Amino acid sequence: ARHAAAHAPPRLFVIGPGRAGLGIARAAIAAGGQVTGIHGRQARALGEPLGAVTAGPIPEDSLRDATIALVAVQDRELE
């Protein structure tokens, strides 16, 4: 089981639905990965295969289901 998990496709949760975050999410899906959620300041529909951007509190279930959490925001947003 451990060996199979090492080769499982990544499950990505993205904070920051800008060019970088969405580009990496699309690339992950194209490579066979899964996006568990995309989170930003404003909720909006993205269409398939990405779904929608959530806003407000980070959805804990989407974050918990991810194997990678990507923070794709501008440096000034981190301060």
Side-chain angles (χ1 to χ4, degrees), residues 9-27:
R11 294 184 312 276
L12 180 67
F13 181 81
V14 179
I15 298 174
R19 285 185 302 208
L22 294 180
I24 292 170
R26 286 185 182 102

Side-chain angles (χ1 to χ4, degrees), residues 5 12 17 21 25-26 30 32 37 44 48 50 53 56 62 66-70:
L12 180 67
R26 286 185 182 102
R44 63 184 168 114
E48 293 300 323
L50 297 177
V53 175
S62 295
T67 56
I68 299 169
L70 172 68

Side-chain angles (χ1 to χ4, degrees), residues 53-66:
V53 175
T54 57
I58 293 175
E60 291 182 27
D61 56 336
S62 295
L63 182 58
R64 186 176 28 255
D65 290 344

Side-chain angles (χ1 to χ4, degrees), residues 28-39:
I29 291 169
Q34 176 187 2
V35 175
T36 63
I38 301 173
H39 194 73

